[in-house]
Amino acid sequence: MAPVDFPNIAGSTNGLLGRDFFHLSPAALEIKTKAPNGVAFTVRGKSQDDKSISGGLEAKYADKASGLALTQAWSTANVVDTKIELDEALTPGLKTEVSTSFLPTSGTKAAKLGIYFRQPSINARAFFDLLKGPSFTGDATVGHDGFLAGAEVGYDVLGGRITKYSAAIGYSVPVYSAAITATNNLSLFSASYYHKVNPAVEAGAKATWNSKSASQVSLEVGTKYAIDSNASAKAKINSAGIASLSYLQTLRPGVKLGLGISVDTQRLQEPAHKLGFSLAFDA
């Protein structure tokens, strides 16, 4: 089995503590359906804190026999996105994709080429921005017996200079994982761990230090409890005193309701708290 890609070396902790899993948007709706010919449709909508609403419509068709997939999306920002993917057509473990976006109102265009290569001990990715720069971003992760090491680099082809670089090391087994990452040109350091205590309880923590802007270390801890096969609850708190709680319930097969609340424990008497919910349909 190939190791995880570079952004997911600390993926278990990030997934447990991630903001999107706490349903903190004032309202979020997601509907997924699949046509008889295999075309999958996804409609997403989310209300923002400034009371605006963002959303999009996406259609995806995948031919498993050839490994070819086509995705097209149109968002409320009037951005038209197209992605063409070709999986394992040339050699096992190799995937290529071309992504384009177009903004009709301004004529702004973007085109990117992505190359992915996965083998039992390595996971490498390369992204080329064909119109802007051109520029290149690549990362790779190697793994052996649970140990992981990865690096990322960005390069401006015309300028002939490195634009960014990051590194990470980690250890991951099914019961627990730990990772240390250094991103933003090795200026933002994070140490994290994740522990699956038992089939119903998960716990994790993450400490972050920005060497350029902060002298203190920020800390975030969280846990998840699976109440039963259809319901789970999560809680987290950070060193700034922001506490978040969420509850996810499967109402029926294909229908999930999420509820979330965020409380600033340092400003209990002020309107600094958030309450939100999400509703997801999958048919």
Side-chain angles (χ1 to χ4, degrees):
M1 183 177 179
V4 297
D5 54 31
F6 177 76
N8 286 312
I9 289 181
S12 297
T13 305
N14 293 336
L16 179 65
L17 302 177
R19 182 181 184 277
D20 290 344
F21 288 84
F22 282 81
H23 318 287
L24 293 179
S25 296
L29 175 67
E30 180 179 87
I31 301 174
K32 293 183 178 181
T33 61
K34 194 169 187 178
N37 63 354
V39 179
F41 295 94
T42 303
V43 180
R44 295 184 179 91
K46 181 184 293 186
S47 62
Q48 308 294 338
D49 295 333
D50 60 2
K51 298 185 179 180
S52 64
I53 297 177
S54 63
L57 171 64
E58 177 184 287
K60 180 176 182 178
Y61 175 74
D63 183 4
K64 293 184 178 180
S66 63
L68 182 67
L70 173 65
T71 305
Q72 290 193 301
W74 191 17
S75 71
T76 53
N78 199 17
V79 178
V80 180
D81 294 314
T82 302
K83 180 190 292 185
I84 301 175
E85 302 170 80
L86 189 59
D87 195 7
E88 298 197 0
L90 301 177
T91 185
L94 179 66
K95 175 184 175 182
T96 59
E97 68 177 31
V98 176
S99 303
T100 65
S101 65
F102 176 61
L103 185 60
T105 54
S106 63
T108 303
K109 303 175 183 178
K112 296 182 179 181
L113 170 65
I115 302 175
Y116 305 76
F117 184 66
R118 295 168 60 91
Q119 291 295 313
S121 59
I122 187 171
N123 188 336
R125 311 184 308 165
F127 305 97
F128 301 86
D129 194 322
L130 305 177
L131 300 183
K132 186 178 180 180
S135 62
F136 161 80
T137 300
D139 60 59
T141 304
V142 294
H144 180 70
D145 289 341
F147 290 95
L148 301 168
E152 178 191 45
V153 63
Y155 186 72
D156 183 346
V157 177
L158 291 182
R161 62 185 181 89
I162 295 176
T163 56
K164 66 176 182 178
Y165 45 91
S166 305
I169 57 173
Y171 180 75
S172 179
V173 292
V175 176
Y176 69 93
S177 63
I180 297 176
T181 63
T183 57
N184 291 9
N185 299 341
L186 306 185
S187 65
L188 183 63
F189 299 89
S190 297
S192 62
Y193 91 93
Y194 166 85
H195 183 196
K196 191 171 183 63
V197 181
N198 57 52
V201 179
E202 301 172 40
K206 183 177 182 180
T208 304
W209 177 57
N210 190 332
S211 62
K212 292 186 176 180
S213 63
S215 58
Q216 294 184 336
V217 175
S218 62
L219 181 65
E220 191 172 25
V221 296
T223 185
K224 177 182 178 180
Y225 175 64
I227 302 171
D228 54 37
S229 60
N230 295 317
S232 63
K234 297 178 71 173
K236 70 175 182 179
I237 188 169
N238 62 27
S239 54
I242 307 297
S244 301
L245 300 171
S246 72
Y247 177 78
L248 182 64
Q249 174 73 52
T250 299
L251 302 178
R252 55 177 296 176
V255 181
K256 293 183 178 181
L257 172 66
L259 303 173
I261 183 172
S262 174
V263 177
D264 189 339
T265 61
Q266 307 297 314
R267 303 161 61 191
L268 293 176
Q269 305 301 321
E270 301 177 31
H273 319 300
K274 296 181 180 180
L275 180 67
F277 77 93
S278 65
L279 194 60
F281 298 87
D282 192 349

